[in-house]
Amino acid sequence: MSKLSTTFLGHTFANPLMNASGVYCMDATDLGALHTSDSGSYITKSCTLEARAGNPEPRYRATPLGSINSMGLPNKGYGYYLDLARAHDYSHKPLFMSVAGLSLADNLVMMRTIRDANLPAIVELNLSCPNVPGKPQIAYDFAAMDAMLAAVTKEYTRPIGVKMPPYFDIAHFDEAAAILNRYPTVAFITCINSIGNALVIDTESESVVIKPKDGFGGIGGDYVLPTALANVNAFYRRCPEKRVIGCGGVKTGEHVFQHLLAGASLVQVGTALQEEGPGIFARLNAELIALLDRKGYKNIDEVRGRLKTL
Ligand code: DHB
């Protein structure tokens, strides 16, 4: 066991790093690159019942401080990812599947089929897609979120995780956590999805930079690190029976360390992976090891949740 190895939901991970769903995970080529990378695990693109082409391009743009996207859930349909999950070599690294049905009924169909396939893949149920025109995020509608979790956890009784959007108010942390705590099989919480519906403007062209939704899209990268850390720590404190996966603003080993301090068990990489490619995992692992060594930590489990307050 190396310094970076850890266990999560009964699976062993060589290190805490993985992609954020949406990045490098649309098809077998992308996922193959993650498989051979130095990530500890990886996750498939959020899937729907049927394949989708997604929103018109350009629909992703990098900026000096991060990225903006409004992809619109392009994906190959859940059957494609389920077939890959059937063929996956779980002894090499664990695999997550992201599920993002356009309705409760669609999620139930997908979750039943995934259940019946009886695979070691871990489901992350996406409650926070901000980019499908006319479909508000479930996790910003607490009654809808509660109803979704009640129905899904009744059908799918194995442990699952939920991908959450950022919240910005203590009352919302309290309410969201109270709902999640009603569902013991919600075993992990991934914080955060992009900060939704932001607007990047290019001064020279006096224009938006992505085509869908008049330029509105979810932002990631440097813009979101403090919001991500706050959400990780807020849910870590409020949901002691659950694990937290950190996601947001990670581009150095130091950022991974900060997510671990805030309470993350695993850490996802989005914008920085998109910009740097899967070679980023070797760099982040090396930077994290150097930081753990300098601080005298023997493993990452010692770091988790150790954040000090003043
Ligand atoms: C998309 C974006 C998201 O943030 C998400 O959670 C799911 C899908 C997208 O636009 O494809």
Side-chain angles (χ1 to χ4, degrees), residues 77-88 90 95 97 117 119:
Y78 83 113
Y80 178 90
Y81 303 102
L82 193 51
D83 284 345
L84 291 180
R86 284 193 180 95
H88 183 72
Y90 292 89
L95 176 70
M97 277 186 78
L119 298 167

Side-chain angles (χ1 to χ4, degrees), residues 61-68 200 219-225 249 251 271:
R61 266 284 291 269
T63 75
L65 293 177
S67 68
I68 183 166
V200 170
I219 51 171
D222 297 350
Y223 299 116
V224 312
L225 178 63
K251 70 176 183 195
T271 298

